[in-house]
Short mmCIF file of all heavy atoms in Angstrom, two decimals:
data_model
loop_
_atom_site.label_atom_id
_atom_site.label_comp_id
_atom_site.label_asym_id
_atom_site.label_seq_id
_atom_site.Cartn_x
_atom_site.Cartn_y
_atom_site.Cartn_z
N TRP S 1 0.82 -1.21 0.01
CA TRP S 1 0.01 0.00 0.00
C TRP S 1 0.86 1.26 0.00
O TRP S 1 0.39 2.34 -0.37
CB TRP S 1 -0.99 0.02 1.16
CG TRP S 1 -0.39 -0.17 2.53
CD1 TRP S 1 -0.31 -1.33 3.22
CD2 TRP S 1 0.17 0.85 3.37
NE1 TRP S 1 0.30 -1.12 4.45
CE2 TRP S 1 0.60 0.21 4.56
CE3 TRP S 1 0.39 2.21 3.23
CZ2 TRP S 1 1.21 0.89 5.60
CZ3 TRP S 1 1.00 2.90 4.27
CH2 TRP S 1 1.39 2.24 5.45
N GLY S 2 2.11 1.16 0.41
CA GLY S 2 3.00 2.31 0.41
C GLY S 2 3.32 2.81 -0.98
O GLY S 2 3.67 3.98 -1.16
N MET S 3 3.17 1.94 -1.98
CA MET S 3 3.44 2.35 -3.37
C MET S 3 2.39 3.34 -3.88
O MET S 3 2.64 4.05 -4.86
CB MET S 3 3.48 1.13 -4.29
CG MET S 3 4.63 0.18 -4.00
SD MET S 3 6.24 0.94 -4.27
CE MET S 3 6.23 1.06 -6.04
N ARG S 4 1.24 3.38 -3.23
CA ARG S 4 0.17 4.31 -3.66
C ARG S 4 0.33 5.70 -3.06
O ARG S 4 -0.39 6.62 -3.43
CB ARG S 4 -1.19 3.71 -3.29
CG ARG S 4 -1.54 2.47 -4.08
CD ARG S 4 -2.97 2.05 -3.84
NE ARG S 4 -3.19 1.63 -2.47
CZ ARG S 4 -3.21 0.37 -2.05
NH1 ARG S 4 -3.01 -0.59 -2.89
NH2 ARG S 4 -3.47 0.10 -0.79
N ILE S 5 1.25 5.87 -2.15
CA ILE S 5 1.47 7.16 -1.52
C ILE S 5 2.39 7.99 -2.43
O ILE S 5 3.43 7.50 -2.85
CB ILE S 5 2.11 7.01 -0.12
CG1 ILE S 5 1.20 6.20 0.78
CG2 ILE S 5 2.41 8.37 0.48
CD1 ILE S 5 1.82 5.87 2.12
N PRO S 6 2.02 9.24 -2.72
CA PRO S 6 2.92 10.08 -3.52
C PRO S 6 4.26 10.24 -2.83
O PRO S 6 4.38 10.17 -1.60
CB PRO S 6 2.19 11.43 -3.60
CG PRO S 6 0.78 11.13 -3.25
CD PRO S 6 0.79 9.92 -2.35
N GLY S 7 5.29 10.49 -3.59
CA GLY S 7 6.64 10.57 -3.05
C GLY S 7 6.89 11.76 -2.16
O GLY S 7 7.67 11.66 -1.20
N TRP S 8 6.24 12.90 -2.43
CA TRP S 8 6.58 14.10 -1.67
C TRP S 8 6.21 13.99 -0.18
O TRP S 8 6.99 14.48 0.66
CB TRP S 8 6.00 15.37 -2.31
CG TRP S 8 4.51 15.48 -2.26
CD1 TRP S 8 3.62 15.07 -3.20
CD2 TRP S 8 3.75 16.04 -1.20
NE1 TRP S 8 2.33 15.34 -2.80
CE2 TRP S 8 2.39 15.94 -1.56
CE3 TRP S 8 4.07 16.62 0.02
CZ2 TRP S 8 1.36 16.37 -0.74
CZ3 TRP S 8 3.04 17.07 0.83
CH2 TRP S 8 1.70 16.95 0.44
N PRO S 9 5.07 13.39 0.24
CA PRO S 9 4.84 13.29 1.69
C PRO S 9 5.84 12.35 2.37
O PRO S 9 6.24 12.59 3.50
CB PRO S 9 3.41 12.78 1.84
CG PRO S 9 2.85 12.65 0.50
CD PRO S 9 3.89 12.92 -0.50
N VAL S 10 6.21 11.29 1.67
CA VAL S 10 7.20 10.36 2.23
C VAL S 10 8.54 11.07 2.40
O VAL S 10 9.17 10.98 3.46
CB VAL S 10 7.33 9.10 1.33
CG1 VAL S 10 8.45 8.20 1.82
CG2 VAL S 10 6.01 8.34 1.27
N ALA S 11 8.96 11.78 1.39
CA ALA S 11 10.24 12.50 1.45
C ALA S 11 10.19 13.59 2.53
O ALA S 11 11.15 13.77 3.30
CB ALA S 11 10.57 13.11 0.10
N PHE S 12 9.07 14.32 2.61
CA PHE S 12 8.94 15.38 3.61
C PHE S 12 9.05 14.81 5.03
O PHE S 12 9.79 15.34 5.86
CB PHE S 12 7.60 16.13 3.45
CG PHE S 12 7.36 17.14 4.51
CD1 PHE S 12 8.01 18.36 4.48
CD2 PHE S 12 6.49 16.89 5.58
CE1 PHE S 12 7.79 19.31 5.46
CE2 PHE S 12 6.29 17.81 6.57
CZ PHE S 12 6.93 19.04 6.51
N CYS S 13 8.33 13.72 5.31
CA CYS S 13 8.37 13.11 6.65
C CYS S 13 9.76 12.57 6.95
O CYS S 13 10.27 12.73 8.07
CB CYS S 13 7.34 12.00 6.76
SG CYS S 13 5.65 12.59 6.75
N ALA S 14 10.41 11.95 5.98
CA ALA S 14 11.73 11.41 6.18
C ALA S 14 12.75 12.53 6.45
O ALA S 14 13.57 12.43 7.38
CB ALA S 14 12.17 10.58 4.98
N TRP S 15 12.69 13.60 5.68
CA TRP S 15 13.63 14.71 5.86
C TRP S 15 13.37 15.44 7.16
O TRP S 15 14.30 15.85 7.85
CB TRP S 15 13.58 15.68 4.69
CG TRP S 15 14.38 15.19 3.52
CD1 TRP S 15 13.92 14.56 2.42
CD2 TRP S 15 15.79 15.30 3.36
NE1 TRP S 15 14.96 14.26 1.57
CE2 TRP S 15 16.12 14.71 2.13
CE3 TRP S 15 16.81 15.83 4.14
CZ2 TRP S 15 17.42 14.63 1.66
CZ3 TRP S 15 18.10 15.76 3.67
CH2 TRP S 15 18.40 15.16 2.44
N THR S 16 12.12 15.61 7.54
CA THR S 16 11.79 16.28 8.78
C THR S 16 12.26 15.47 9.97
O THR S 16 12.86 16.00 10.91
CB THR S 16 10.28 16.55 8.88
OG1 THR S 16 9.87 17.31 7.75
CG2 THR S 16 9.91 17.29 10.15
N GLY S 17 11.99 14.17 9.94
CA GLY S 17 12.45 13.29 11.03
C GLY S 17 13.96 13.27 11.13
O GLY S 17 14.53 13.35 12.24
N ALA S 18 14.64 13.21 10.00
CA ALA S 18 16.10 13.23 10.01
C ALA S 18 16.61 14.58 10.52
O ALA S 18 17.62 14.63 11.26
CB ALA S 18 16.64 12.97 8.60
N GLY S 19 15.92 15.65 10.19
CA GLY S 19 16.32 16.97 10.70
C GLY S 19 16.22 17.07 12.20
O GLY S 19 17.10 17.64 12.85
N PHE S 20 15.16 16.50 12.79
CA PHE S 20 15.05 16.49 14.25
C PHE S 20 16.16 15.67 14.86
O PHE S 20 16.77 16.06 15.87
CB PHE S 20 13.70 15.94 14.69
CG PHE S 20 12.59 16.93 14.60
CD1 PHE S 20 11.48 16.69 13.81
CD2 PHE S 20 12.63 18.12 15.30
CE1 PHE S 20 10.45 17.59 13.72
CE2 PHE S 20 11.60 19.05 15.23
CZ PHE S 20 10.51 18.78 14.44
N LEU S 21 16.47 14.51 14.29
CA LEU S 21 17.53 13.66 14.84
C LEU S 21 18.90 14.31 14.72
O LEU S 21 19.69 14.28 15.66
CB LEU S 21 17.53 12.30 14.15
CG LEU S 21 16.40 11.37 14.54
CD1 LEU S 21 16.46 10.10 13.71
CD2 LEU S 21 16.47 11.03 16.01
N VAL S 22 19.19 14.89 13.56
CA VAL S 22 20.50 15.50 13.35
C VAL S 22 20.70 16.67 14.29
O VAL S 22 21.80 16.88 14.78
CB VAL S 22 20.67 15.91 11.86
CG1 VAL S 22 21.87 16.81 11.67
CG2 VAL S 22 20.79 14.67 11.00
N SER S 23 19.64 17.40 14.58
CA SER S 23 19.81 18.56 15.47
C SER S 23 19.94 18.15 16.93
O SER S 23 20.56 18.86 17.72
CB SER S 23 18.65 19.52 15.29
OG SER S 23 17.43 18.91 15.68
N ILE S 24 19.37 17.03 17.35
CA ILE S 24 19.41 16.64 18.75
C ILE S 24 20.66 15.83 19.09
O ILE S 24 21.14 15.86 20.23
CB ILE S 24 18.12 15.89 19.16
CG1 ILE S 24 17.93 15.90 20.67
CG2 ILE S 24 18.12 14.48 18.67
CD1 ILE S 24 17.57 17.23 21.25
N LEU S 25 21.24 15.11 18.12
CA LEU S 25 22.39 14.26 18.41
C LEU S 25 23.61 15.05 18.89
O LEU S 25 24.22 14.67 19.89
CB LEU S 25 22.71 13.38 17.22
CG LEU S 25 21.74 12.22 17.00
CD1 LEU S 25 22.11 11.46 15.75
CD2 LEU S 25 21.70 11.28 18.19
N PRO S 26 24.00 16.13 18.22
CA PRO S 26 25.17 16.89 18.74
C PRO S 26 24.90 17.44 20.14
O PRO S 26 25.80 17.47 20.97
CB PRO S 26 25.36 18.01 17.73
CG PRO S 26 24.72 17.53 16.49
CD PRO S 26 23.59 16.65 16.93
N TYR S 27 23.66 17.87 20.40
CA TYR S 27 23.32 18.37 21.74
C TYR S 27 23.48 17.27 22.78
O TYR S 27 24.03 17.52 23.85
CB TYR S 27 21.89 18.90 21.75
CG TYR S 27 21.38 19.17 23.14
CD1 TYR S 27 21.77 20.30 23.82
CD2 TYR S 27 20.53 18.25 23.77
CE1 TYR S 27 21.33 20.53 25.14
CE2 TYR S 27 20.08 18.49 25.05
CZ TYR S 27 20.49 19.62 25.73
OH TYR S 27 20.06 19.84 27.00
N ALA S 28 23.03 16.07 22.47
CA ALA S 28 23.14 14.96 23.42
C ALA S 28 24.60 14.62 23.70
O ALA S 28 24.98 14.41 24.86
CB ALA S 28 22.40 13.75 22.89
N VAL S 29 25.41 14.59 22.66
CA VAL S 29 26.84 14.29 22.83
C VAL S 29 27.50 15.39 23.65
O VAL S 29 28.23 15.11 24.61
CB VAL S 29 27.53 14.10 21.47
CG1 VAL S 29 29.03 14.02 21.63
CG2 VAL S 29 26.99 12.88 20.77
N LEU S 30 27.27 16.64 23.29
CA LEU S 30 27.88 17.76 24.00
C LEU S 30 27.42 17.81 25.45
O LEU S 30 28.23 18.04 26.36
CB LEU S 30 27.54 19.07 23.29
CG LEU S 30 28.22 20.33 23.82
CD1 LEU S 30 29.73 20.21 23.69
CD2 LEU S 30 27.71 21.56 23.09
N SER S 31 26.17 17.57 25.70
CA SER S 31 25.64 17.56 27.04
C SER S 31 26.29 16.47 27.88
O SER S 31 26.64 16.68 29.05
CB SER S 31 24.12 17.35 27.02
OG SER S 31 23.61 17.18 28.29
N THR S 32 26.48 15.30 27.30
CA THR S 32 27.13 14.20 28.01
C THR S 32 28.58 14.53 28.34
O THR S 32 29.06 14.29 29.46
CB THR S 32 27.06 12.90 27.18
OG1 THR S 32 25.68 12.62 26.90
CG2 THR S 32 27.69 11.74 27.89
N VAL S 33 29.28 15.09 27.38
CA VAL S 33 30.69 15.45 27.59
C VAL S 33 30.81 16.53 28.67
O VAL S 33 31.65 16.43 29.58
CB VAL S 33 31.34 15.90 26.27
CG1 VAL S 33 32.71 16.52 26.51
CG2 VAL S 33 31.44 14.72 25.31
N LEU S 34 29.99 17.55 28.60
CA LEU S 34 30.04 18.62 29.59
C LEU S 34 29.65 18.14 30.99
O LEU S 34 30.24 18.56 31.98
CB LEU S 34 29.16 19.79 29.17
CG LEU S 34 29.65 20.59 27.95
CD1 LEU S 34 28.64 21.65 27.56
CD2 LEU S 34 31.01 21.19 28.23
N ASP S 35 28.67 17.24 31.04
CA ASP S 35 28.26 16.68 32.33
C ASP S 35 29.39 15.86 32.93
O ASP S 35 29.66 15.92 34.13
CB ASP S 35 27.00 15.81 32.16
CG ASP S 35 26.44 15.36 33.48
OD1 ASP S 35 26.43 16.18 34.42
OD2 ASP S 35 26.01 14.19 33.57
N ALA S 36 30.08 15.08 32.12
CA ALA S 36 31.20 14.28 32.59
C ALA S 36 32.35 15.17 33.05
O ALA S 36 33.05 14.87 34.03
CB ALA S 36 31.68 13.32 31.50
N ALA S 37 32.55 16.29 32.35
CA ALA S 37 33.62 17.22 32.72
C ALA S 37 33.37 17.90 34.06
O ALA S 37 34.30 18.27 34.76
CB ALA S 37 33.81 18.26 31.63
N HIS S 38 32.09 18.04 34.40
CA HIS S 38 31.73 18.71 35.67
C HIS S 38 31.46 17.71 36.78
O HIS S 38 30.79 18.02 37.77
CB HIS S 38 30.50 19.60 35.47
CG HIS S 38 30.82 20.84 34.71
ND1 HIS S 38 30.33 21.03 33.43
CD2 HIS S 38 31.57 21.92 35.00
CE1 HIS S 38 30.77 22.20 32.98
NE2 HIS S 38 31.52 22.76 33.92
#
């Protein structure tokens, strides 16, 4: 049934989700490093 979905909503959801993950990962790493340093 996924073949009947137009490509643009799939691409939009994938890019938006990836954007949220990419923006939170450096924060999580930096937060962990700073917490360990303190």
Side-chain angles (χ1 to χ4, degrees):
W1 54 264
M3 295 297 289
R4 293 189 294 261
I5 300 174
W8 69 267
V10 174
F12 175 77
C13 291
W15 278 99
T16 303
F20 280 121
L21 286 176
V22 167
S23 64
I24 199 70
L25 286 176
Y27 168 78
V29 170
L30 186 62
S31 173
T32 302
V33 169
L34 290 176
D35 188 40
H38 287 111

